[in-house]
Amino acid sequence: MISKKQKLFNIDSLQQIIDKSKSIVFFGGAGVSTESGIPDFRSVDGLYNLKWAYPPEQIISRTFFYENTKEFYRFYREKLLIHGVQPNKAHYKLAELEKAGKLKAVVTQNIDGLHQMAGSKVVYELHGSVLRNYCEDCHEFYDEKIIEESAKAPDKLPHCTKCGGLIKPDVVLYEEGLDNDIVNGAINAIKEADTLIIGGTSLIVYPAAGLIDYFHGENLVLINKTATMKDSRATLVIHDKIGEILDQIKVN
């Protein structure tokens, strides 16, 4: 258990790094959103440990989407469209740092849109967003309501109101590649950063986790409840909740 003295030391150290930084990039994972009540994937209560007719990893794959679309959407509506969630202290502090000119970008593996809801403007969503959906035929875009409402349809599937085509969530499924423009934007931001703060991620999901190798700035900060493979490279490592840590940072 982390002592109070160690926590204060960690906060002071992080505060000093942020105060001296001019170009911060934040790279975040599921742990950023768990404090808003959104389950992660790999913990004891995570999505990968839930019991379904198929493994969750299989359900949220490209092959499964096309071969068993109804079951995909049944899982998607119940487990990925989380209702009533709000940004937490981490989201709001990052937005505050951006507004102050300290933070230049957020690179996130999350698909919940909470960074934008908190006020962040420059957000690279590596795995897409549940708030965006598109028709596979005419490419018309829809918000998440089209997915929710489709549960009442006879076939339980969302269809385009213009052409009748199947609507697909704008999220990156297993067997799909990341969007090149988003990846390049994230890489450029990380390259130009003097401080990279990594929070709420185990850094085991590739290719997303590999993007941090483009960082060659002065300070690498890792904030995660458990150890990661990159801890030994970091200027500062804090094993604690990301929201509780960032909430104590003063933005000058």
Side-chain angles (χ1 to χ4, degrees):
M1 187 173 181
I2 302 173
S3 68
K4 184 176 180 180
K5 185 177 180 180
Q6 181 63 46
K7 283 189 176 184
L8 291 174
F9 174 80
N10 288 338
I11 296 299
D12 288 344
S13 299
L14 180 58
Q15 184 73 63
Q16 291 173 18
I17 289 173
I18 290 175
D19 288 345
K20 294 178 181 178
S21 300
K22 296 180 179 179
S23 180
I24 302 170
V25 168
F26 179 81
F27 182 98
V32 179
S33 292
T34 53
E35 292 174 54
S36 290
I38 297 177
D40 64 7
F41 283 77
R42 291 178 170 79
S43 68
V44 174
D45 298 318
L47 293 181
Y48 286 173
N49 291 308
L50 297 174
K51 293 183 178 179
W52 286 73
Y54 304 88
E57 302 99 313
Q58 181 181 351
I59 297 175
I60 52 177
S61 69
R62 181 179 178 84
T63 297
F64 195 91
F65 175 81
Y66 289 109
E67 292 183 352
N68 201 336
T69 313
K70 286 185 181 180
E71 183 68 8
F72 170 90
Y73 271 116
R74 188 174 75 87
F75 178 89
Y76 186 86
R77 292 188 193 99
E78 183 173 337
K79 295 300 177 184
L80 296 184
L81 283 183
I82 310 296
H83 301 283
V85 294
Q86 296 295 322
N88 59 55
K89 296 173 182 178
H91 297 107
Y92 285 117
K93 185 62 66 173
L94 292 169
E96 187 180 353
L97 285 166
E98 182 187 45
K99 188 175 181 180
K102 285 280 189 180
L103 184 77
K104 303 304 179 183
V106 169
V107 181
T108 181
Q109 299 175 83
N110 297 333
I111 58 176
D112 49 51
L114 291 180
H115 284 292
Q116 292 93 327
M117 193 182 299
S120 291
K121 305 299 182 185
V122 183
V123 182
Y124 295 102
E125 296 174 307
L126 297 176
H127 297 150
S129 172
V130 296
L131 305 182
R132 299 189 303 268
N133 307 273
Y134 65 92
C135 172
E136 292 209 290
D137 293 337
C138 72
H139 306 293
E140 180 75 11
F141 267 77
Y142 295 88
D143 63 22
E144 73 281 7
K145 293 177 183 177
I146 193 76
I147 307 298
E148 297 168 348
E149 294 168 356
S150 66
K152 302 174 184 177
D155 62 358
K156 307 297 183 184
L157 300 179
H159 294 285
C160 178
T161 58
K162 288 191 172 183
C163 73
L166 179 66
I167 293 174
K168 184 176 182 292
D170 189 19
V171 297
V172 179
L173 304 177
Y174 284 106
E175 304 169 352
E176 293 182 334
L178 304 184
D179 182 276
N180 285 333
D181 290 338
I182 293 174
V183 169
N184 289 334
I187 288 174
N188 290 333
I190 291 171
K191 280 182 176 179
E192 295 171 4
D194 56 17
T195 294
L196 177 62
I197 300 175
I198 300 172
T201 174
S202 56
L203 293 175
I204 61 175
V205 177
Y206 281 80
L211 298 185
I212 70 169
D213 292 331
Y214 289 94
F215 175 69
H216 302 291
E218 184 176 354
N219 298 297
L220 176 61
V221 178
L222 279 162
I223 307 172
N224 196 51
K225 289 196 291 186
T226 58
T228 77
M229 295 183 294
K230 303 293 184 180
D231 282 12
S232 61
R233 286 181 47 186
T235 310
L236 176 65
V237 176
I238 303 175
H239 291 154
D240 210 331
K241 293 181 178 180
I242 181 72
E244 291 184 6
I245 296 300
L246 291 185
D247 186 52
Q248 297 177 68
I249 296 300
K250 295 178 176 62
V251 179
N252 301 317

